[in-house]
């Protein structure tokens, strides 16, 4: 059976210092994820999850529930306030990646994870060419051979259907769907075992969405990469994820096989989410 | 010999929090299926037939009862409490489910759908390719359709593809929820033939059929939802 490639334990992320009223971990002290006494936002509280080899794990939940924050902490874009995460590539999974030095973190970011940001502006340098955007990630991972990098970048951009004559263009000129596809190519450039996908299809027209989804499915089928797939669209998750977790106010309120979450939701919030879709 | 499936005292109730409502799915269902048996479930609409199949497939979790499944890989597994990775493995390798509805990924061709199903069982690409062609031909799916997307298929074509996808895995246990309900006579006959072939190979099956008569001869036992037991 498949092995665990990423294990997240009790991840927490707080914006603000907390106060005596809210810092005890009592959820009733909060209004949703917010402490009315001191203004601290508890973006994540006690989030635990396991990601298995070649598995797609869906993360769903309403706006502000903490989905992006999970990925941002794992990719070291944000420093978590608590919790641990383990991958086999770092100290054989015996130490949390959050205890690693800056150098370790860069290594993990460049070799273990690929990320597609919800907002392409965060994932791409909009004024550089698409080829240069991909080369940048490969250089960060220690590549120096310009010819080889260009070939690889062209191969990846072809794979995500960016036409040849547009590869030297800056993503600023591209449509939203094309920008997402360049982000996917960039994320794949170092053959990472784990992809972090944040709303890859949100805001795209239906036909473009289908192409991006198709691409994700193809990558999963051919490369057996594990993915954390964040989406507020249950249809996307139904198509791609074997298992799904449901978040609300920074907490995981339900987890299970995706068909189970969609057809037999238990938590009142999950029911609201699922039934509003029918 | 151990039964392939031994479901005991299954009860399922759905709670709709918003409406503060409870709906009974099924109550105290016990079904035991020996290796190679074909068992039919009968009962009126709403009596819980589909619920029983979904409990076995683990789409639903029951409030009460156990479902002991005799796995090739893991020995006896209680499907109501097995961990998710075990259930995913069993769905890929041992337990198939066919309903009237085809859930497909957009822009995946008929051929890819069936090949993926075979690859999930761990067979190699060459085998997947030839076996896919064999099964698509068996179901008389037009060759022009093999490399097109099923979104545009007719109801009957979708159904035949759906059944093909489940059957190519040669699952140890196959759950069938009215797979032939909207098929024409000729397509039904193709399905019947394949079910017969699977039965001859020793596949254990539990199915809901609108006209169980049609499956006559293949069906070893009937479980009646209203009696709560097998009919004589
Ligand atoms: N820098 C910040 N300072 C304060 N609060 C923040 C900051 N960044 C995020 N938050 C808060 O953290 C919570 C979780 O945000 P997050 O972006 O993870 O939500 P999300 O589930 O991804 O939502 P969406 O579906 O809208 O993308 C929100 O309440 C948000 O307002
Ligand atoms: N996911 C669900 N959520 C809520 N109620 C459900 C769900 N699934 C089934 N039910 C209810 O459980 C009862 C049994 O439904 P089920 O689909 O098992 O009946 P059935 O015997 O298959 O009927 P039919 O012959 O019409 O297909 C029905 O009252 C149904 O509304
Ligand atoms: Mg977000
Ligand atoms: Mg039914
Ligand atoms: Zn506070």
């Amino acid at each position: 059976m498949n092995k665990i490639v990423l294990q997240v334990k009790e991840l927490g992320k707080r914006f603000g210092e907390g106060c005596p009223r809210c810092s005890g971990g009592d959820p009733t002290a909060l209004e949703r994820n917010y402490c009315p006494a001191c203004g601290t936002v508890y973006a994540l509280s006690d989030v635990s999850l396991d990601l298995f080899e070649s598995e797609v794990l869906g993360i769903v939940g309403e706006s502000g529930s903490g989905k992006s924050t999970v990925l941002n902490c794992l990719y070291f874009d944000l420093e978590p306030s608590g919790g641990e995460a383990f991958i086999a590539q770092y100290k054989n999974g015996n130490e949390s990646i959050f205890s690693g030095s800056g150098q370790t973190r860069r290594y993990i970011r460049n070799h273990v994870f690929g990320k597609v940001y919800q907002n392409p502006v965060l994932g791409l340098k909009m004024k550089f060419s698409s080829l240069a955007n991909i080369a940048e990630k490969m250089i960060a991972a220690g590549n120096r051979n310009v010819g080889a990098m260009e070939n690889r970048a062209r191969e990846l951009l072809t794979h995500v259907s960016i036409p040849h004559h547009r590869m030297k263009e800056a993503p600023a000129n591209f449509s939203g769907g094309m920008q997402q596809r360049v982000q996917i190519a960039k994320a794949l450039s170092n053959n990472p075992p784990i992809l972090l996908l944040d709303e890859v299809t949100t805001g795209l027209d239906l036909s473009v969405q289908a192409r991006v989804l198709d691409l994700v499915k193809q990558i999963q089928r051919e490369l057996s990469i594990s993915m954390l797939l964040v989406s507020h669209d249950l249809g996307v998750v139904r198509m791609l994820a074997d298992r799904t977790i449901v978040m609300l106010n920074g907490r995981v309120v339900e987890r299970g096989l995706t068909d189970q979450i969609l057809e037999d939701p238990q938590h009142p919030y999950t029911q609201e989410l699922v039934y509003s879709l029918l | 010999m151990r039964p392939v499936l031994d479901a005991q005292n299954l009860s399922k109730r759905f709670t709709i929090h918003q409406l503060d409502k409870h709906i009974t799915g099924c109550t105290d269902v016990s079904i035991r299926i020996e290796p190679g048996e074909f068992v039919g479930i009968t009962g009126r609409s709403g009596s819980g037939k589909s619920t029983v199949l979904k409990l076995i497939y683990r789409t639903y979790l029951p409030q009460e009862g156990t479902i002991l499944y005799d796995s090739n890989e893991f020995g006896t597994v209680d499907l109501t409490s097995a961990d998710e990775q075990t259930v995913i493995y069993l769905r890929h390798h041992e337990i198939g489910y066919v309903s009237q509805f085809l859930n497909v990924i957009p822009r995946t061709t008929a051929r890819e759908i069936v090949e993926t199903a075979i690859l999930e069982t761990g067979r190699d690409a060459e085998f997947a390719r030839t076996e896919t062609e064999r099964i698509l031909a068996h179901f008389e799916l037009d060759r022009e359709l093999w490399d097109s997307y099923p979104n545009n298929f007719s109801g009957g074509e979708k159904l035949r593809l759906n059944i093909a996808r489940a059957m190519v895995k040669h699952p140890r246990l196959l759950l069938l929820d009215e797979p032939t309900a909207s098929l024409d006579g000729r397509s039904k006959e193709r399905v019947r033939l394949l079910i017969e072939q699977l039965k001859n190979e020793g596949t254990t099956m539990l199915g809901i059929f609108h006209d169980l008569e049609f499956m006559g001869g293949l069906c070893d036992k009937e479980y009646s939802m209203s009696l709560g037991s097998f009919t004589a």
Side-chain angles (χ1 to χ4, degrees), chain A residues 48-65:
Chain A
S48 298
L49 59 88
D50 293 332
L51 178 68
F52 288 78
E53 206 168 55
S54 76
E55 168 184 59
V56 180
L57 176 66
I59 304 181
V60 301
E62 67 185 3
S63 183
S65 57

Side-chain angles (χ1 to χ4, degrees), chain A residues 194-221:
Chain A
I194 300 173
L195 275 185
L196 308 173
L197 303 178
D198 196 352
E199 307 279 6
V200 266
T201 60
T202 306
L204 307 178
D205 333 329
L206 283 181
S207 63
V208 184
Q209 271 194 23
R211 295 188 64 176
V212 174
L213 287 179
D214 184 41
L215 176 64
V216 172
K217 191 68 203 170
Q218 190 190 346
I219 290 164
Q220 201 250 340
R221 198 164 48 217

Side-chain angles (χ1 to χ4, degrees), chain A residues 1 52 55 211 214 217 221 239 242-243 255-257 259-260 263-264 266-268 271-272 275, chain B residues 12 14-18 54 58-61 74 84-88 91 105-108 116:
Chain A
M1 268 218 292
F52 288 78
E55 168 184 59
R211 295 188 64 176
D214 184 41
K217 191 68 203 170
R221 198 164 48 217
M239 253 177 266
D242 288 325
R243 293 189 305 131
R255 60 179 84 228
L257 296 163
D259 55 326
Q260 192 182 316
E263 294 191 43
D264 189 15
Q266 303 293 314
H267 192 278
Q271 292 192 349
E272 213 178 289
Y275 298 153
Chain B
K12 174 65 184 172
F14 300 94
T15 302
I16 316 291
H17 294 285
Q18 242 173 343
K54 287 185 179 177
R58 242 297 263 287
T59 301
Y60 297 164
L61 279 172
F74 308 108
E84 287 156 1
Q85 296 302 313
T86 301
V87 175
I88 290 169
R91 287 178 175 190
I105 294 141
R107 292 167 48 88
T108 306
T116 304

